[in-house]
Amino acid sequence: TTTTTTTTTSSGESSNGGGGGVVYTGGIDGSIKRYDIATSTVTLIGQHSPNIEQADLVNGKKKVAVSCLGTIRNTNWIVSAGWDKKFHIWDVSKCNQNNDSNSNADAEDDGKNKTTTTAAQPLATMDLPGKAFSMDVSSDGTKIVVATSGRRNCFFDIIHQPREDGSTSSSSPPIEVKLLSDRESSL
């Protein structure tokens, strides 16, 4: 399928979800994928609007494209925003665990890339007032701004909640997202 992609590479160590030739892409179909250049492996990280029947219509077509991606430094997390008016935070390490241990994962080998097609659930999701057009993550990973249609700018506070025992198996996510401000741009 043809996809329009927005890419970002992780600048951290390979243990924090990136580095070493990893590229993340967001597709017009709403998929978020991780491409490992060294191994030619493609992993489905997640899916915006997994139930495409609930997505908004534009001129009779579904609008679910992932238009913005970013990484949160020193974590296994990537963030995405899209035309479905959603902002998500994804744990890349959980996706890898799900893909490695899930026997129902569909693997395709087209001769070039081995693709794993089991998507993870986002750690956090926030509604946006419109389609996302641009996004930026602060250098310390605690603030994110998303520019949306209707000249809206949404500012989010990302609160890391480390667990006392250091485990990642708890049912509650290790993150809290708060909307700090939603305001109209003067431009």
Side-chain angles (χ1 to χ4, degrees), residues 22-182:
V22 174
V23 177
Y24 296 96
T25 65
I28 199 161
D29 62 352
S31 65
I32 301 163
K33 295 180 180 178
R34 176 182 176 199
Y35 292 86
D36 186 326
I37 297 168
T39 63
S40 296
T41 304
V42 180
T43 305
L44 181 64
I45 301 296
Q47 184 77 36
H48 271 246
S49 296
N51 184 355
I52 199 161
E53 298 305 317
Q54 295 178 353
D56 292 335
L57 288 173
V58 174
N59 298 329
K61 296 183 181 180
K62 304 292 180 182
K63 59 175 186 175
V64 296
V66 176
S67 55
C68 308
L69 286 174
T71 58
I72 298 181
R73 192 177 293 188
N74 299 323
T75 69
N76 290 319
W77 302 336
I78 60 171
V79 293
S80 64
W83 291 357
D84 61 350
K85 303 178 186 175
K86 299 286 185 194
F87 166 80
H88 297 290
I89 299 178
W90 308 90
D91 187 340
V92 176
S93 66
K94 284 190 178 188
C95 179
N96 290 339
Q97 289 171 0
N98 289 343
N99 286 330
D100 292 342
S101 64
N102 189 342
S103 60
N104 294 330
D106 298 327
E108 303 169 9
D109 189 353
D110 63 2
K112 297 178 197 168
N113 298 320
K114 182 179 173 187
T115 305
T116 307
T117 58
T118 302
Q121 295 297 312
L123 287 176
T125 299
M126 298 290 287
D127 291 326
L128 297 171
K131 294 188 330 184
F133 291 134
S134 183
M135 178 174 64
D136 197 15
V137 181
S138 66
S139 61
D140 64 358
T142 62
K143 304 284 188 282
I144 297 175
V145 61
V146 181
T148 69
S149 59
R151 298 183 345 199
R152 305 299 298 186
N153 291 313
C154 298
F155 297 85
F156 295 100
D157 189 20
I158 308 300
I159 302 166
H160 303 257
Q161 300 173 343
R163 294 189 179 87
E164 291 178 16
D165 63 359
S167 72
T168 58
S169 61
S170 175
S171 61
S172 64
I175 190 168
E176 182 180 350
V177 181
K178 291 184 180 178
L179 179 64
L180 294 176
S181 177
D182 174 6

